[in-house]
DNA sequence: AGAACGCATCAATTTATTTTGATGTATCAA
DNA sequence: TTGATACATCAAAATAAATTGATGCGTTCT
């Protein structure tokens, strides 16, 4: 039981780590905020965030590689949007971790 | 409304960023896993994780600075334990972010 | 076809994080 | 009070991540 939960955390760990790492950056969080309003092309993201194209592109790649966002090309434009499943996965992972910590506050002998 | 939520995310952003950054590391996640079993002194953590003392101490400091764990000295030993409040805060922050993304999946015009 | 646009990618540099080994400090035991 | 234990901290080196400016590639417009 406890082992199952622990095992689950272990298994999802590398995946969760990727998501956490991608999310744990102020610039990328800004991008996420922007995308929370809806799908958006890179040029609009540039306006919203004020980032240079190359710089933005770099961070979009990090976010995309983590699975937090997906892209879709249409003509000359590339549209990015959040993948809510990834966010849910992260929330679940933290919830699981919390569950497995029932006696985490118990003082040591 | 949406603005309130957005504002809330912005405000908590730096705080959440700190927690995410601290958590987003495989070694530190291992430490967190170990601490999920209960309060633990550094020497026991060394055994559990197999990390060298100095290295472990470094990561413990990162975790402590983020607020994810707290410490308590007793004699020669220092005991660390998880702060579940921080974990809850993180979960809440992600839940809020998700909420503010209701139309994130809506395709662009 | 040629030019402009939207974006990705690359190489070089800068900056931040991590690791390592050594040293410091407090506590306890002999 | 000397020595050992448990841990933190520091400086130097190693590694990783981010920034910048340039270049490339596919798409549209003319």
């Amino acid at each position: 039981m406890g082992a199952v939960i622990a095992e689950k955390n272990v298994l999802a760990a590398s995946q969760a780590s990727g998501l956490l790492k991608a999310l744990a950056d102020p610039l990328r969080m800004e991008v996420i905020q922007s995308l929370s309003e809806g799908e958006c092309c890179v040029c609009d993201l540039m306006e919203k965030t004020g980032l240079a194209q190359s710089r933005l592109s770099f961070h979009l790649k990090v976010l995309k590689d983590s699975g937090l966002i997906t892209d879709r090309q249409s003509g000359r434009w590339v549209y990015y949007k959040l993948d809510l499943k990834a966010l849910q996965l992260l929330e679940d992972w933290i919830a699981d971790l919390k569950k497995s910590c029932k006696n985490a506050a118990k003082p040591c002998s």
Side-chain angles (χ1 to χ4, degrees), chain A residues 54-72:
Chain A
S54 167
R55 198 173 169 201
L56 177 57
S57 205
F58 169 78
H59 288 290
L60 285 172
K61 180 166 167 45
V62 174
L63 287 170
K64 183 183 164 189
D65 288 348
S66 80
L68 272 172
I69 65 177
T70 57
D71 64 346
R72 146 181 95 83

Side-chain angles (χ1 to χ4, degrees), chain A residues 38-87:
Chain A
E39 195 184 41
C40 194
C41 67
V42 177
C43 52
D44 284 353
L45 281 174
M46 280 183 61
E47 273 197 16
K48 287 190 184 193
T49 62
L51 296 179
Q53 187 268 316
S54 167
R55 198 173 169 201
L56 177 57
S57 205
F58 169 78
H59 288 290
L60 285 172
K61 180 166 167 45
V62 174
L63 287 170
K64 183 183 164 189
D65 288 348
S66 80
L68 272 172
I69 65 177
T70 57
D71 64 346
R72 146 181 95 83
Q73 182 158 12
S74 172
R76 282 192 274 192
W77 291 274
V78 175
Y79 294 94
Y80 283 91
K81 71 174 178 182
L82 282 180
D83 186 342
L84 294 182
K85 286 195 305 294
L87 229 43

